[in-house]
Amino acid sequence: MQTNRDVAEPEVVVEGGESAARSERTWRIATIAVIVLTLFVCLCFGGILVLNPFQPGGSNALAAPTATRRGAGFAATWTPTPTDTATPTAPPRPTATSTSTPTATATASNTPVPATPTRTPPPPTNTARPRPTNTPRPPTSTPVPPPTATNTPSYQFSVSSPTSYFNQGSMGVFGTVRDRNGNLVGDVKIEVIAPSGSGLEATTTPNFKTGSTDRNFEVSNADGLTPGTYAVFARIKVGSDYMVVSPSVTVNITPLNDACNKAGDACTQWWKIEFKQN
């Protein structure tokens, strides 16, 4: 609500009017601030009295409503109203409990730790065998019996008439094996077998033996041949075995002695036998 003073202010025209208006505003602001501060102080003081009416050093006028007199002639005694209630204390804060499990501490001991048993492999029981040698073993198979002494067409090779020779220093059987064209044939087994079944064997070569022009096989006393009667025949390899491919020829080899030398032609120490393919 405006006052007469407020309404009349604009009508006054004075020098320095702007300064007067500014002073008026400052005065109003100061007045309002003083009033607000006063109210704030009153409210604070009143609140203090309400919360603690028996504050020592307080005014008797403010504390009068709660004071009682015990009797005449005695000084006024202030009996505080037992309104003070013990402020409950806050519950104790829970303390953290360690949940870690205690680890057992190892106790030093002088007892030796038992050794872990180890499995020791047994020594080898297989005795090392000696390395094989190249020494040829004597044949253990029973020699093939000599075939019938006939030149039948059933054989692949035929036998020419054998020729005997006198010799004072050695003995043996030699000859050739040829194909249909007269060429020497190698890898043919020539058997010289005694009646007892034992004997010797020679293998033919595709060429003449060294230093000769009449033989590609030979069996002599240098090979272990001894005087006696023998069946001579040829065999060739078929598959994994050898088969007889010629008839047999019987020869007689006489000993080397003076009696045989005196006999002349009656002594025969070498025999020549030729085989030819049919």
Side-chain angles (χ1 to χ4, degrees), residues 34-86:
V34 170
I35 293 172
V36 171
L37 183 61
T38 302
L39 290 175
F40 178 75
V41 171
C42 291
L43 289 174
C44 291
F45 187 71
I48 292 172
L49 293 179
V50 171
L51 295 175
N52 192 7
F54 301 105
Q55 181 70 23
S59 174
N60 289 336
L62 295 176
T66 60
T68 57
R69 299 181 64 86
R70 297 297 181 94
F74 294 94
T77 303
W78 300 97
T79 304
T81 303
T83 58
D84 295 340
T85 305

Side-chain angles (χ1 to χ4, degrees), residues 107 123 136 184 195 210 256 263 270:
T107 305
L184 297 177
T210 303
L256 298 174
W270 281 92

Side-chain angles (χ1 to χ4, degrees), residues 138-206:
T140 56
S141 59
T142 303
V144 179
T148 306
T150 57
N151 291 325
T152 59
S154 60
Y155 292 107
Q156 297 183 26
F157 291 84
S158 60
V159 181
S160 65
S161 298
T163 304
S164 63
Y165 297 90
F166 168 77
N167 191 292
Q168 295 181 357
S170 62
M171 64 183 69
V173 177
F174 69 96
T176 58
V177 177
R178 299 176 184 269
D179 61 12
R180 294 185 182 92
N181 298 321
N183 300 315
L184 297 177
V185 179
D187 199 27
V188 177
K189 302 294 184 181
I190 304 300
E191 307 291 342
V192 182
I193 306 299
S196 63
S198 62
L200 296 174
E201 180 182 83
T203 303
T204 62
T205 59

Side-chain angles (χ1 to χ4, degrees), residues 167 171 227-228 253-258 260-261 267-269:
N167 191 292
M171 64 183 69
I253 298 176
T254 58
L256 298 174
N257 52 36
D258 294 337
C260 182
N261 292 337
C267 296
T268 57
Q269 282 80 36

